[in-house]
Amino acid sequence: MSDNGHGIGAPVKRVEDFRFLTGRGTYTDDINRPNQTCAFFLRSPHARAQIKSIDAAKAKSAPGVVAVFTGGDMQCGGIPCGWQVTDKNGEPMKEPPHPPLAKDKVSHVGDQVAVVIAESLSAAKDAAELIAVDYEVQTPVVDMEKAIAGGDVVHEEAPGNLCYDWELCTAEGGAKEVDDAIANSAHSVSLRIVNNRLAPNAMEPRAAIGDYDLASGEYTLYTTSQNPHVIRLLMGAFVLGIPEHKLRVVAPDVGGGFGSKIFHYAEEAVVTWASAQIKRPVKWTAERSESFVSDAHGRDHITDVTLALDAEHKFTALKVQTLANMGAYLSTFASCVPTYLYATLLAGVYTTPKICAGVKAVFTNTVPVDAYRGAGRPEATFLLERIVEQAARKLGVDRVELRRKNFIAPDAFPYQTPVALQYDSGDYHSSLEKALAMSDWEGFAARKKESAANGKLRGIGISTYIEACGIAPSAVVGSLGARAGLFEAATVRVHPTGSVTVFTGSHSHGQGHETTFAQIVAEKLGLPMENISIVHGDTAKVPFGMGTYGSRSLAVGGEAISRALNKIAEKARKIAAHLMEADAADVVFANGEFAVKGTDKKKAFAEVSLAAYVPHNFPHKSAHDDGEGLEPGLEEQAFYDPLNFTYPAGCHICEVEVEPETGAVTVAALTTVDDVGRVINPMIVEGQVHGGLAQGVGQALLERAFYDDNGQLLSGSMMDYTLPRAKDMPPLSGLQTATTETLCAHNSLGVKGVGETGTIGSPPAVINAVLDALAERGVTDIQMPATPFRVWSALQEAGK
Amino acid sequence: MRVQMTVNGKAVSGEVAPETLLAQFLRENLRLTGTHIGCDTSQCGACVVLCGGKSVKSCTMLAAQAEGADITTIEGMESPGGELHPLQEAFRQNHGLQCGFCTPGMVMSAADLLRQNPSPSEEEIRHWLEGNICRCTGYHNIVKAVQAVAAAK
């Protein structure tokens, strides 16, 4: 342990900032390889069509063109999905083929049809226009409800466009028992909720460079990924058949991910494969309009929910039926998002005893849908916090009191929910009370009056959420169908002069791991920050890793580092004991120094590490290992597989002003109190919350990836898709964030995760606030995004 | 065609196709990769540089249009001695960046704001940054960083 000011809990300024602030970052598109070519993908303009023929002869002979490839040229596996879901009849989910380049048909606007590789990007683009594709255009399947009603199918392999019909219902009597409980309860309330489809829009568009080395037979893929080892595994083993020792995947600086850069994408496989065909590096960078039609989208659920309550207003049962859009193909995590990351969270922070969730995953002729910041948990939270709010309004009871009454009590942990998860720790009352106080909930009436005097409708909304992070315990997710263990690996290398390099399988694309992880090292080894380096994002450097998603970096990756550090400290203590001729049990390690208890004997960490590498005076292992001696060197590895998810939870409160004449909503205030477990760097935690809140406000008020009946994405550019801008967020004085702390009970750091709290907790708080503002005009429901048009229309409708 | 201009105080020139954008010239010809390209509709502002002191979106300007111009990119913001520009320092102090992709554009855009209006109100800062999208920070700390520099002047 250490008190050097850079350890756990200190708001250390970020190590990575200097290079980003001075233009010295290295993103994938910043990399050029010698003799590199440029790739351009010809994409389908149709949502659904048969490809009758492709004539690329003219393109192949166009100036500057090196090669043109189509689906027929590329003999390889399909893009795999990483999660198996077994439907309620015991059938495996339907997994239609997903070729990296379309073979006989295209299934969404943006589907890859051909790749043109040329000496310049403009030559590749010009040549792509010369490719003649004979499409037989078919009626696309766009609307989910129509998709499952019979008729056209996206894939013959999935009759009725159903990927799976899955159920999570732990009541002994199954769904009927929950239906009966609802029928026999004193009250019930129902809602239909559309969780709007979102385009993630990390600021850095995706990019990939394939670089095949003819001399060694090794492939290198530079890519904008949140998890290079996972890409190596999926692309190497399933798509291209390249063994790990011949495939290096580098994910350098990555400009935001938010889930969209978890997945293995076709372009990665195509540039890697093509590089070996033409024996030159192949580089591709998405234009933003390509991102909109090729990056996996998020959310897109239609849900019918019913909550039942007894006469005392305790929740008795919850029934949820959801249609979840998968898009045209199953992306890497797609199948698990509306099941294991959604239905399992439907207890929320409440003691609802009976819960039944049915989820139908539906194929449509749209871009694949997969995990986007929060992934399943925002959808679960939104429907819970909307239905609880609706119940309070219907019953005419205080919405805060209704929540309090149904909270899981602080002394009830570990708490087994009726939907598979066991919460290890939490205190939902304390985050609620703190948020109420910070937001001046009691003083709202006066503010509402003031707004009214200015002709504005003011509303306040609340959400009390829980989520599951630290994905994931391998045994648990294995039993749920994950095709890989979701542990994390870390290697800590102490150099001879006492500086430290940590190799982590987590990947930072804005989260600040180079700082946070270094703080863990600073804390545990008592070293200054400048003596510590964090290395990530390269399979040739980092032995193994599962990457960053689901707020897992600290709770899984950080814990792996912590465990490797423990091994370092233990070995170093034995070396120090030898050097000081003391019993190892008498040696204490603090602030970077080993000391023999009760004496003035001391050895600095650097002296001990030098002894490990210049082991002239060293407790060597004997020829026949007696179990006591040590090997030279000071490097340790840990693989950490958590025992459970972690469960951040908290309370978000939003205050809005609505202009009734225009329907424009202004977020006047946002207050968040999140229990994310132990905080390593409060500055970074706060930043994560801010960013998540902007995306939450975006979902609630602004963003919608909208397809017309022809399967054309109408909001397919940054001019059409409304990303939150600076003026869309509350003023500095209106945004308050705070934390409460209950420690995670099953990792030694006590950490839970913070990356997704903002997108999970805030959308229902915002919408509940909008509805609170509109209540006096008789509006009782509104869907996201609550755009000015929707708000205005709702006011007109209610005023009739 | 040949273009010549001054970039970060140095005279530079290069052979480009007529349709080459200033952003491409900076990134590919000069290898000044701090200027980023985040969209294709002139919305995101990751490519903002200063042209004669005024902020411009370098993805919406041809290299040829910058003939003879005085361009400053994020790489030219440090002092000759290597000290961070006050805005760069303020972004660091206020945690005004996460993934770093929008950051160069944000800094360059804010520099032009403060040139024109040394003490902008919070509302003026938010309004000015309309043309710069950040998906990580929620803008809160970016606004604080710009305010901090304005307050120090």
Side-chain angles (χ1 to χ4, degrees):
Chain A
M1 294 296 126
S2 123
D3 52 12
N4 58 15
H6 294 108
I8 290 173
V12 178
K13 303 297 178 214
R14 298 203 320 170
V15 173
E16 42 276 86
D17 284 358
F18 177 76
R19 70 175 187 271
F20 294 143
L21 279 164
T22 57
R24 291 182 173 90
T26 305
Y27 301 88
T28 301
D29 189 55
D30 299 341
I31 297 169
N32 280 342
R33 301 296 300 157
N35 205 26
Q36 167 183 294
T37 60
C38 298
F40 178 76
F41 283 85
L42 179 70
R43 297 179 183 277
S44 171
H46 305 295
R48 179 168 171 245
Q50 296 291 318
I51 298 174
K52 300 182 79 172
S53 67
I54 302 177
D55 182 357
K58 275 189 194 163
K60 283 180 181 171
S61 59
V65 170
V66 178
V68 178
F69 297 112
T70 61
D73 299 316
M74 200 178 170
Q75 300 306 317
C76 64
I79 305 291
C81 176
W83 292 73
Q84 173 70 53
V85 170
T86 303
D87 84 2
K88 64 183 185 187
N89 304 313
E91 297 282 317
M93 66 184 185
K94 304 294 189 296
E95 291 181 82
H98 184 187
L101 291 174
K103 287 199 190 303
D104 307 318
K105 63 174 183 178
V106 288
S107 296
H108 66 86
V109 171
D111 213 350
Q112 303 79 217
V113 175
V115 62
V116 182
I117 298 164
E119 299 294 345
S120 73
L121 183 58
S122 53
K125 280 183 170 182
D126 288 347
E129 291 187 12
L130 302 174
I131 299 174
V133 186
D134 186 5
Y135 292 108
E136 184 183 311
V137 179
Q138 298 169 303
T139 307
V141 176
V142 181
D143 181 277
M144 276 198 284
E145 292 178 292
K146 288 183 193 158
I148 57 165
D152 293 316
V153 291
V154 178
H155 301 288
E156 296 300 330
E157 295 85 354
N161 294 309
L162 207 53
C163 175
Y164 54 75
D165 181 358
W166 179 86
E167 191 175 80
L168 180 62
C169 189
T170 50
E172 273 181 25
K176 187 179 178 305
E177 186 180 322
V178 174
D179 286 338
D180 291 346
I182 292 170
N184 296 328
S185 292
H187 310 282
S188 73
V189 53
S190 298
L191 267 182
R192 163 157 276 219
I193 286 169
V194 177
N195 202 290
N196 45 327
R197 184 181 182 115
L198 303 175
N201 275 303
M203 291 314 298
E204 178 205 24
R206 284 192 299 119
I209 308 168
D211 190 355
Y212 176 68
D213 180 355
L214 193 59
S216 64
E218 285 176 18
Y219 295 78
T220 302
L221 168 67
Y222 300 87
T223 184
T224 49
S225 176
Q226 300 176 212
N227 30 239
H229 292 85
V230 174
I231 302 305
R232 184 179 67 169
L233 176 68
L234 294 176
M235 186 177 82
F238 295 94
V239 186
L240 298 180
I242 306 169
E244 284 97 329
H245 69 297
K246 294 291 187 191
L247 177 56
R248 175 185 175 198
V249 178
V250 183
D253 286 329
V254 172
F258 315 115
S260 69
K261 292 173 182 167
I262 300 171
F263 323 121
H264 174 39
Y265 286 97
E267 295 89 349
E268 294 171 321
V270 173
V271 298
T272 304
W273 171 84
S275 173
Q277 306 305 304
I278 67 166
K279 301 182 176 58
R280 290 174 65 181
V282 178
K283 178 173 177 176
W284 167 76
T285 301
E287 295 179 5
R288 181 60 60 180
S289 51
E290 278 185 287
S291 308
F292 273 100
V293 295
S294 68
D295 292 7
H297 290 177
R299 317 284 192 261
D300 205 351
H301 285 192
I302 300 173
T303 296
D304 288 301
V305 53
T306 299
L307 175 70
L309 306 86
D310 66 16
E312 279 74 48
H313 301 156
K314 290 279 283 182
F315 304 157
T316 56
L318 180 77
K319 185 169 187 181
V320 172
Q321 288 170 298
T322 293
L323 297 180
N325 206 335
M326 295 288 103
Y329 304 105
L330 279 184
S331 175
T332 311
F333 270 60
S335 52
C336 88
V337 173
T339 49
Y340 314 134
L341 295 177
Y342 166 71
T344 53
L345 272 300
L346 288 172
V349 287
Y350 309 114
T351 55
T352 317
K354 290 177 180 161
I355 299 172
C356 186
V359 179
K360 287 180 178 155
V362 183
F363 288 111
T364 57
N365 290 115
T366 62
V367 176
V369 180
D370 206 327
Y372 165 64
R373 198 171 192 174
R377 292 149 288 161
E379 295 92 316
T381 300
F382 188 77
L383 79 84
L384 277 176
E385 293 306 300
R386 283 291 300 115
I387 196 73
V388 169
E389 186 81 4
Q390 210 74 351
R393 288 190 182 275
K394 185 176 173 185
L395 301 175
V397 299
D398 183 89
R399 50 197 159 144
V400 174
E401 197 46 46
L402 183 65
R403 285 175 168 86
R404 274 196 198 109
K405 181 178 280 185
N406 285 282
F407 273 171
I408 297 161
D411 61 1
F413 296 93
Y415 179 82
Q416 179 63 50
T417 74
V419 276
L421 299 180
Q422 189 184 77
Y423 303 160
D424 61 336
S425 65
D427 182 350
Y428 313 133
H429 288 279
S430 73
S431 49
L432 171 69
E433 301 310 328
K434 190 166 177 173
L436 290 173
M438 282 168 58
S439 68
D440 186 24
W441 181 271
E442 295 301 325
F444 173 72
R447 298 192 292 278
K448 187 175 176 69
K449 207 170 160 186
E450 199 175 316
S451 293
N454 296 321
K456 304 276 179 68
L457 305 172
R458 199 177 185 96
I460 191 165
I462 188 167
S463 141
T464 48
Y465 75 93
I466 189 165
E467 57 151 330
C469 286
I471 180 170
S474 296
V476 175
V477 294
S479 73
L480 294 173
R483 289 166 179 167
L486 295 180
F487 53 84
E488 195 48 274
T491 299
V492 176
R493 179 175 299 162
V494 180
H495 302 288
T497 56
S499 63
V500 170
T501 305
V502 174
F503 301 85
T504 172
S506 300
H507 186 280
S508 184
H509 28 280
Q511 295 89 340
H513 295 167
E514 289 166 47
T515 306
T516 305
F517 289 168
Q519 287 182 252
I520 298 173
V521 180
E523 174 82 23
K524 298 203 93 148
L525 299 184
L527 301 177
M529 291 289 277
E530 57 267 27
N531 287 11
I532 304 160
S533 281
I534 307 294
V535 173
H536 66 91
D538 185 344
T539 61
K541 292 179 182 168
V542 178
F544 202 72
M546 295 308 296
T548 287
Y549 38 83
S551 306
R552 71 193 303 271
S553 299
L554 190 55
V556 190
E559 181 69 14
I561 293 169
S562 176
R563 287 172 183 231
L565 288 168
N566 290 346
K567 294 181 188 180
I568 292 283
E570 199 42 41
K571 181 172 178 180
R573 200 157 65 93
K574 288 179 184 165
I575 299 169
H578 176 86
L579 295 175
M580 296 186 284
E581 297 175 336
D583 194 313
D586 294 331
V587 174
V588 290
F589 180 39
N591 292 316
E593 274 187 340
F594 295 91
V596 182
K597 265 189 278 185
T599 75
D600 59 359
K601 286 186 185 176
K602 279 181 182 172
K603 285 280 174 193
F605 183 74
E607 291 179 90
V608 175
S609 38
L610 188 64
Y613 289 94
V614 188
H616 300 162
N617 177 16
F618 196 80
H620 285 287
K621 264 190 199 303
S622 63
H624 304 286
D625 183 10
D626 57 9
E628 289 294 317
L630 300 174
E631 292 172 359
L634 197 50
E635 173 165 326
E636 297 288 348
Q637 187 167 39
F639 281 74
Y640 171 66
D641 196 349
L643 296 173
N644 192 354
F645 289 92
T646 64
Y647 300 98
C651 177
H652 290 190
I653 293 174
C654 177
E655 216 165 299
V656 299
E657 255 192 354
V658 178
E659 193 174 62
E661 293 81 10
T662 63
V665 177
T666 305
V667 181
L670 268 173
T671 304
T672 65
V673 178
D674 301 300
D675 175 2
V676 299
R678 178 167 282 127
V679 170
I680 307 292
N681 183 322
M683 178 191 81
I684 287 177
V685 162
E686 195 179 75
Q688 287 293 307
V689 174
H690 291 166
L693 290 176
Q695 290 178 0
V697 168
Q699 168 157 36
L701 299 179
L702 303 166
E703 299 181 36
R704 185 184 183 196
F706 178 65
Y707 281 93
D708 70 7
D709 293 343
N710 296 318
Q712 296 290 339
L713 182 64
L714 296 188
S715 49
S717 83
M718 282 188 174
M719 291 183 76
D720 305 292
Y721 185 94
T722 326
L723 290 165
R725 312 227 176 184
K727 65 175 175 40
D728 295 313
M729 293 302 289
L732 297 178
S733 60
L735 183 64
Q736 304 183 77
T737 63
T739 54
T740 53
E741 184 177 286
T742 62
L743 298 181
C744 172
H746 58 83
N747 65 48
S748 71
L749 294 171
V751 296
K752 295 186 177 181
V754 70
E756 297 162 297
T757 60
T759 56
I760 293 168
S762 67
V766 175
I767 292 296
N768 286 340
V770 170
L771 286 170
D772 187 52
L774 303 182
E776 63 182 87
R777 300 284 181 96
V779 176
T780 56
D781 195 16
I782 200 160
Q783 300 292 357
M784 297 190 290
T787 57
F789 177 70
R790 278 191 173 158
V791 172
W792 182 85
S793 301
L795 283 167
Q796 303 310 306
E797 193 61 31
K800 276 182 185 168
Chain B
M1 65 185 291
R2 191 144 194 92
V3 291
Q4 301 183 54
M5 64 190 82
T6 303
V7 176
N8 300 333
K10 275 188 227 160
V12 298
S13 64
E15 200 62 42
V16 297
E19 71 271 22
T20 304
L21 301 169
L22 177 59
Q24 291 170 326
F25 178 70
L26 294 170
R27 287 181 57 79
E28 297 300 333
N29 291 58
L30 305 183
R31 297 300 292 151
L32 292 171
T33 55
T35 298
H36 296 148
I37 300 174
C39 79
D40 44 13
T41 51
S42 201
Q43 292 292 303
C44 82
C47 67
V48 170
V49 299
L50 300 181
C51 177
K54 283 178 69 177
S55 54
V56 296
K57 287 184 172 168
S58 63
C59 77
T60 315
M61 183 173 181
L62 295 169
Q65 289 176 293
E67 177 71 23
D70 184 8
I71 303 292
T72 306
T73 71
I74 190 70
E75 289 92 344
M77 291 298 273
E78 290 160 78
S79 72
E83 265 178 53
L84 290 180
H85 183 278
L87 270 166
Q88 291 171 314
E89 185 59 34
F91 269 63
R92 198 177 94 82
Q93 291 298 329
N94 288 282
H95 189 29
L97 67 154
Q98 291 183 25
C99 82
F101 198 79
C102 77
T103 309
M106 285 285 180
V107 170
M108 302 315 286
S109 188
D112 190 18
L113 168 65
L114 295 181
R115 180 184 65 85
Q116 296 184 34
N117 180 357
S119 50
S121 67
E122 179 184 345
E123 207 175 328
E124 286 171 327
I125 295 169
R126 289 183 187 271
H127 182 71
W128 180 267
L129 293 177
E130 172 83 17
N132 292 78
I133 301 177
C134 170
R135 197 60 160 157
C136 292
T137 64
Y139 304 99
H140 191 86
N141 290 342
I142 292 175
V143 174
K144 273 168 69 176
V146 178
Q147 271 191 338
V149 176
K153 278 192 172 176

